[in-house]
């Protein structure tokens, strides 16, 4: 088994109202050093190893885990605990 960490973020140029809200709240709280906030989502998967592991992960990301029209994704693969 391997652990896969998928990170999904909005594509550059897509408005991020949640990020803007967080940025404004931080500024209001006195954290003026914060210049920009981008939000996203993290998805952790435990997957059986196979020859086409990366292709299967990319297929999952493109078909379900992200919206390819407005989101980008990256992933990392690490060994799981047996």
């Amino acid at each position: 088994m391997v652990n896969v960490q998928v990170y999904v973020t909005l594509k550059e140029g897509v408005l991020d109202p949640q990020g803007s809200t967080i940025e404004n709240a931080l500024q209001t709280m006195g954290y003026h050093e914060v210049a920009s906030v981008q939000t996203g989502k993290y998805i952790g998967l435990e997957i059986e190893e196979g020859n086409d592991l990366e292709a299967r992960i990319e297929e999952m990301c493109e078909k379900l885990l992200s919206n390819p029209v407005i989101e980008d994704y990256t992933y990392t693969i690490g060994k799981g605990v047996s």
Side-chain angles (χ1 to χ4, degrees):
M1 299 294 276
V2 294
N3 289 316
V4 179
Q5 297 80 38
V6 179
Y7 303 92
V8 180
T9 56
L10 291 171
K11 290 186 177 198
E12 191 171 323
V14 175
L15 293 178
D16 184 355
Q18 184 178 19
S20 296
T21 300
I22 294 169
E23 179 184 340
N24 290 336
L26 289 169
Q27 293 276 334
T28 300
M29 295 172 70
Y31 298 105
H32 301 291
E33 64 272 22
V34 176
S36 170
V37 176
Q38 294 83 37
T39 61
K41 58 188 170 186
Y42 164 79
I43 303 160
L45 306 169
E46 191 171 313
I47 302 176
E48 291 184 27
E49 290 187 69
N51 291 339
D52 57 349
L53 177 64
E54 290 195 37
R56 298 292 285 168
I57 294 168
E58 290 179 17
E59 186 177 304
M60 289 180 224
C61 290
E62 291 171 10
K63 287 186 173 183
L64 178 68
L65 303 179
S66 73
N67 177 346
V69 174
I70 62 168
E71 295 175 320
D72 288 323
Y73 66 87
T74 59
Y75 61 89
T76 58
I77 302 171
K79 293 287 182 191
V81 177
S82 298

